[in-house]
Amino acid sequence: MNQIKQRGYSRYNLMEDLFYEGIEFDLKEITDYFKDLPKDEYAPNLNRYRRYSRAIILPNTNNIFWLPTIEESGKSYSAYFQGKFNPEHPGAYRKFYSIDQRILDNKLLQTIILQDYKETFWSEEDKILPIHVGVHFVKLNVKEKSDKAVSSPNCLHQDGEPFTFAHLIERKNVKGGVNVIAQPHNAGYTPEQISEEEIIEEFEINKALESYGVHDPDVSHYVSPIELDEEDGEGVRSVLLIDYQLTVVADVDE
């Protein structure tokens, strides 16, 4: 049985599950792209870098269509809205630099999007309309022993989208970055503030394309901040996040 449907989350090893000739080249293209992500302007002091783009999938066809971007001063942005679900940005629209088209065309990225989509589940009524896909490239980067890089929000949370999947792209010379899956009512707390019985699992993703997914109504989740490990040089934790939600339309009366 689909574990994400059975227990609210699942773990994956997509390097094995998706292996095809040329996957290493496609992964390297994505990994190299992460090196030059712009700073997250909504977290200027948290050592977080990101890009974001939006797409739709047509149910029963598996066709991916990338949505238009916002063009301002020669830069391309994509808007993101979580409603009440991010306590650090409640009710706020955020704009992030969009992902370049050459990366959106990357075979591995498109394969991951469709593979994650196969893990989601919807009613027949839901599938009348396209499924919205949010693609986040997020890098935590530390360079000094005093540095700490923090994900958003820095607590157990739910995302507001029915499904979210996280895929490790690179982890190098860092400690921390521990993933926690807990009961849904623990959203808003840190793992230290709840009892051990409320925590379903703690784990780290360490190898490229180690992954996990959550069904948002069933669990809350968290990743701890990172710091430099013992080696010289910078520390990096780069993750591809993909969320799936319904396309919402307003009710219309005759």
Side-chain angles (χ1 to χ4, degrees):
M1 177 181 282
N2 183 329
Q3 288 191 351
I4 198 170
K5 188 173 186 179
Q6 183 180 36
R7 62 178 185 173
Y9 78 104
S10 186
R11 296 175 61 182
Y12 312 92
N13 183 347
L14 294 193
M15 184 59 80
E16 294 181 359
D17 297 343
L18 301 181
F19 186 81
Y20 59 85
E21 185 175 351
I23 190 173
E24 295 94 344
F25 174 84
D26 293 337
L27 176 60
K28 184 178 186 304
E29 182 179 50
I30 293 173
T31 304
D32 290 345
Y33 187 70
F34 267 87
K35 294 178 181 178
D36 294 319
L37 292 187
K39 272 195 172 184
D40 184 342
E41 296 177 351
Y42 299 90
N45 301 313
L46 296 181
N47 298 308
R48 189 167 70 234
Y49 302 76
R50 71 190 301 162
R51 285 185 181 268
Y52 172 69
S53 286
R54 302 165 58 235
I56 56 173
I57 290 180
L58 300 184
N60 304 319
T61 69
N62 290 341
N63 291 330
I64 302 170
F65 295 93
W66 295 102
L67 296 176
T69 58
I70 302 165
E71 304 299 320
E72 293 181 358
S73 303
K75 302 289 185 180
S76 295
Y77 298 87
S78 294
Y80 181 53
F81 180 65
Q82 282 184 288
K84 65 181 181 180
F85 286 91
N86 189 325
E88 295 172 2
H89 305 281
Y93 280 90
R94 288 178 285 168
K95 291 187 302 183
F96 300 115
Y97 287 105
S98 300
I99 301 165
D100 290 344
Q101 188 62 50
R102 67 180 179 84
I103 301 299
L104 299 180
D105 292 337
N106 180 284
K107 178 181 177 180
L108 177 58
L109 176 59
Q110 297 206 2
T111 301
I112 291 172
I113 291 171
L114 292 176
Q115 177 65 23
D116 288 349
Y117 177 62
K118 290 177 184 177
E119 291 290 293
T120 67
F121 45 92
W122 313 89
S123 71
E124 289 304 310
E125 291 81 3
D126 291 339
K127 292 188 289 185
I128 292 173
L129 295 171
I131 302 299
H132 181 275
V133 184
V135 178
H136 313 247
F137 283 20
V138 181
K139 179 176 71 173
L140 301 181
N141 187 201
V142 287
K143 298 179 180 180
E144 306 291 341
K145 285 292 185 182
S146 58
D147 286 348
K148 182 179 289 188
V150 183
S151 292
S152 177
N154 189 25
C155 61
L156 286 157
H157 62 280
Q158 295 170 294
D159 293 315
E161 300 94 0
F163 300 94
T164 300
F165 297 82
H167 307 283
L168 185 71
I169 300 300
E170 183 179 24
R171 180 186 172 108
K172 179 179 68 175
N173 193 29
V174 298
K175 56 186 177 181
V178 177
N179 297 101
V180 180
I181 307 294
Q183 300 294 339
H185 56 263
N186 297 127
Y189 297 96
T190 65
E192 294 76 20
Q193 292 174 318
I194 64 175
S195 67
E196 292 184 4
E197 290 75 17
E198 296 292 308
I199 295 176
I200 300 170
E201 186 176 0
E202 292 187 15
F203 59 90
E204 292 181 6
I205 49 178
N206 294 298
K207 298 178 181 178
L209 301 188
E210 265 193 282
S211 312
Y212 69 94
V214 298
H215 183 220
D216 202 58
D218 292 340
V219 296
S220 59
H221 58 101
Y222 166 79
V223 61
S224 65
I226 65 162
E227 299 175 274
L228 269 180
D229 204 356
E230 299 304 319
E231 299 178 21
D232 293 331
E234 67 178 0
V236 172
R237 185 181 186 272
S238 298
V239 175
L240 163 64
L241 300 173
I242 307 177
D243 60 64
Y244 299 80
Q245 62 181 310
L246 299 176
T247 303
V248 179
V249 293
D251 292 331
V252 178
D253 294 327
E254 291 186 0

